[in-house]
Amino acid sequence: MPNASNYVELSRQFVEISLLDVAQADIEAQIAWGQLSLPTWPDIIKQHRVVLLSSAGTGKTWEIAQQCRKLRGEGKAAFFIRLEYLASGFSDIVFEGDGDLASFNDAVSKDEEIWIFLDSIDEARLDGPAAFDKALRTLSPHIRNNLQRTHIILTSRVGAWRPTDDAARVDSLFPYNKPKEADQSDSTDDTEVDDFLDDPEPDGADAERKSPITYYTLRHLTPDQMRLYADAKGTPDAETLTSEIVR
C-alpha cells in the first residue's frame, strides 16, 4: 500500500464510461464540450460495484489506497487488498495498511457497510490467466452474507479487463440488486411501459444495463492539479513546468 506521507491530494476527477467508451471515445474532448459529468471520490464510493479502468501510471493505486485510509479514519470498515496476494488464499497477508483478517471478519459479522478496494487485475494476471478468477473465488465466500452492503472497487489497466468474461464473473460471485427507482410518472400506462422495454438495444447494451457494475476512468490532470502536485513535491518554477507540459 503506497505511503500516505507521499500522497498529494489533488481532488481527482473521474469520467463514467461505457464499455464502448473505453475503446473509442475521445473523453477529454467530450469533457471540454460539457458533454460529460465529472464525478469525484464522494460519488464513486456510493456505488456498490465499480471498475476503475485507466492506463499505467495514472495513479489508480495511490487513489484507492488514500480513499481506504480516509474511510477508515472516519470509522468505516474499509480494506485494501492486492489481488495477486488474494489468489494465494485468504489470510492476513492479503491485507495492507491497517486492515487485517480479524477486523474484516468482524465487519462482515456485524452486517455493516464495507468497502473493499481490489488492486489490480493486470498485476494478478501476471501470475497466470486464471489468477484473477481464483482471487475472486477466494474472496467470495467470506462476504456472501453481506453482499448488499459491500462496496467493491476494482482497478485495472484498460487492456487487462475482459468486458464480457470478467463482468460476468464479478456479477456471478458478487451479485448486487440495485434498488428499484421510484416511478416518476403516474400517467404512464402499462402499454407505454411495455413498448419502452421492448425497444431494441445495441449489441451488449442490455447486459451492461442489467449489470450493477459502473465503469470509470481517471481524467487527465488539469493544469491546476499539475501545479499543485509540482508545488507539493518542491519542484522549482512549477508554473513554467506546467506551461511546458500543457503546451
Side-chain angles (χ1 to χ4, degrees):
M1 192 169 182
N3 193 322
S5 63
N6 292 327
Y7 180 81
V8 179
E9 177 56 66
L10 299 174
S11 299
R12 294 295 298 271
Q13 296 172 316
F14 298 81
V15 180
E16 183 176 346
I17 55 177
S18 70
L19 296 183
L20 292 177
D21 287 331
V22 174
Q24 52 189 277
D26 187 343
I27 291 170
E28 291 298 317
Q30 292 185 53
I31 292 169
W33 284 96
Q35 295 175 332
L36 295 174
S37 61
L38 297 173
T40 54
W41 271 115
D43 305 301
I44 305 298
I45 62 174
K46 293 177 183 177
Q47 307 296 326
H48 284 78
R49 303 292 182 268
V50 170
V51 175
L52 178 55
L53 298 171
S54 193
S55 56
T58 51
K60 300 183 296 295
T61 299
W62 283 92
E63 288 295 323
I64 65 169
Q66 183 63 17
Q67 289 307 309
C68 183
R69 292 189 193 96
K70 186 174 181 180
L71 288 166
R72 292 184 70 85
E74 295 170 357
K76 297 175 181 176
F79 303 90
F80 181 100
I81 297 175
R82 292 194 186 272
L83 284 163
E84 65 264 35
Y85 299 158
L86 187 58
S88 299
F90 199 71
S91 64
D92 277 322
I93 195 173
V94 308
F95 297 94
E96 297 195 19
D98 295 330
D100 56 39
L101 184 58
S103 60
F104 183 90
N105 288 336
D106 184 56
V108 172
S109 67
K110 290 179 178 177
D111 194 31
E112 63 181 73
E113 205 164 15
I114 302 171
W115 282 263
I116 303 175
F117 297 88
L118 298 174
D119 188 58
S120 67
I121 294 170
D122 44 287
E123 293 293 334
R125 284 200 161 120
L126 292 177
D127 293 332
F132 173 53
D133 181 74
K134 186 176 180 182
L136 296 186
R137 289 183 177 278
T138 298
L139 175 62
S140 177
H142 297 276
I143 59 174
R144 67 162 52 111
N145 294 327
N146 198 15
L147 287 169
Q148 283 296 113
R149 296 179 61 79
T150 298
H151 303 257
I152 299 174
I153 296 92
L154 289 143
T155 71
S156 177
R157 297 185 188 182
V158 176
W161 176 256
R162 299 168 182 170
T164 301
D165 294 343
D166 290 346
R169 184 68 65 211
V170 171
D171 290 344
S172 173
L173 294 174
F174 308 106
Y176 174 75
N177 297 317
K178 292 183 179 180
K180 292 183 179 179
E181 296 182 3
D183 186 5
Q184 302 197 4
S185 174
D186 293 330
S187 62
T188 303
D189 60 32
D190 292 342
T191 302
E192 292 173 329
V193 172
D194 289 341
D195 289 343
F196 174 78
L197 292 176
D198 288 339
D199 283 346
E201 293 183 326
D203 292 343
D206 185 60
E208 186 175 345
R209 176 177 59 80
K210 292 178 180 178
S211 173
I213 300 172
T214 307
Y215 296 89
Y216 294 95
T217 188
L218 275 164
R219 186 191 177 190
H220 297 321
L221 293 179
T222 65
D224 286 343
Q225 289 171 326
M226 292 179 193
R227 292 187 197 95
L228 180 61
Y229 185 85
D231 285 337
K233 294 298 182 179
T235 304
D237 201 358
E239 183 66 40
T240 299
L241 175 63
T242 301
S243 298
E244 290 296 319
I245 294 173
V246 172
R247 192 207 313 181

